[in-house]
Every structure is written in C-alpha cells, then in structure tokens.
Amino acid sequence: QVQLVESGGGLVQAGGSLRLSCAASEGTYTMGWFRQAPGKEREFVSAISRRGISANYADSVKGRFTISRDNAKNTVYLQMNSLKPEDTAVYYCAASRLRPGILPSNEAEFDYWGQGTQVTVSS
C-alpha cells in the first residue's frame, strides 16, 4: 500500500504563493492533485506523468499553478501562484496506476490518496 503525505499548506493572502509537496512511500506513479472546498465536491486540479514530461490542469488553475516532480525523492509538487480566495480548500495528493501515456483527471482513475493539507486564501 502506497503512503502519500502532503505538506506545505497554510494561510496566505490573495495574490500570494504556496508550494505543496507530496511524498510517496514507494514506486513511480502518475500523480495528481485534487481539492475540496467546504460544501463542495472534490475536484481535479492537476496531474503529471510518471516521467514528468506531460501535465494537465483544470481550467480554473491554468497559468497560475504548476505541477512538477522529483522521482529521485519520490515527491510531487504543486506550485500555486496568484492565489485567490476561491482556491481555499483541502488539497489532496493522489497516485494512479494507469498505464503510461494516459493523464487521468477523474477521481476513479486514482488508486491511492493522501490525507490532505488545508490551503486558506484570505481576501
């Protein structure tokens, strides 16, 4: 069972930046970030391929968020810039066993999940 541990969340003012990290206990998987705001369903944010060559993003974060990974450290990152109050949510890291070449964006396509880290953006 792969363990995923997120870190880097916190409180930031609108327009600020945060970098989330997700450390995996083992393996090299396609990785993704999701978020869930209070009273809303969990939604896709971004995903990155196993080698870090390909990535996709939700329209709401394109141009502001950047996903990256360091396979030597088994860690994936989410750099979040120009943060908005509507980015406030619990952010979850997830790992997918889908075959290489596919970038998932649906919750059902991810097999392992972290516990989440809170990001709060004040106006």
Side-chain angles (χ1 to χ4, degrees), residues 50-105:
R50 296 183 186 209
R51 294 169 64 187
I53 295 174
S54 302
N56 60 352
Y57 298 90
D59 288 343
S60 59
V61 306
K62 276 182 184 176
R64 300 188 299 123
F65 290 12
T66 302
I67 192 170
S68 63
R69 66 189 300 158
D70 184 341
N71 285 345
K73 297 181 179 179
N74 270 359
T75 300
V76 63
Y77 305 97
L78 186 68
Q79 178 66 44
M80 305 185 295
N81 298 329
S82 302
L83 282 162
K84 306 175 182 180
E86 50 263 44
D87 294 318
T88 295
V90 177
Y91 283 71
Y92 296 91
C93 174
S96 173
R97 295 181 299 178
L98 283 180
R99 63 176 177 82
I102 296 177
L103 273 178
S105 59

Side-chain angles (χ1 to χ4, degrees), residues 3-18:
Q3 305 295 322
L4 302 175
V5 179
E6 302 100 333
S7 61
L11 173 64
V12 64
Q13 288 189 331
S17 299
L18 281 174

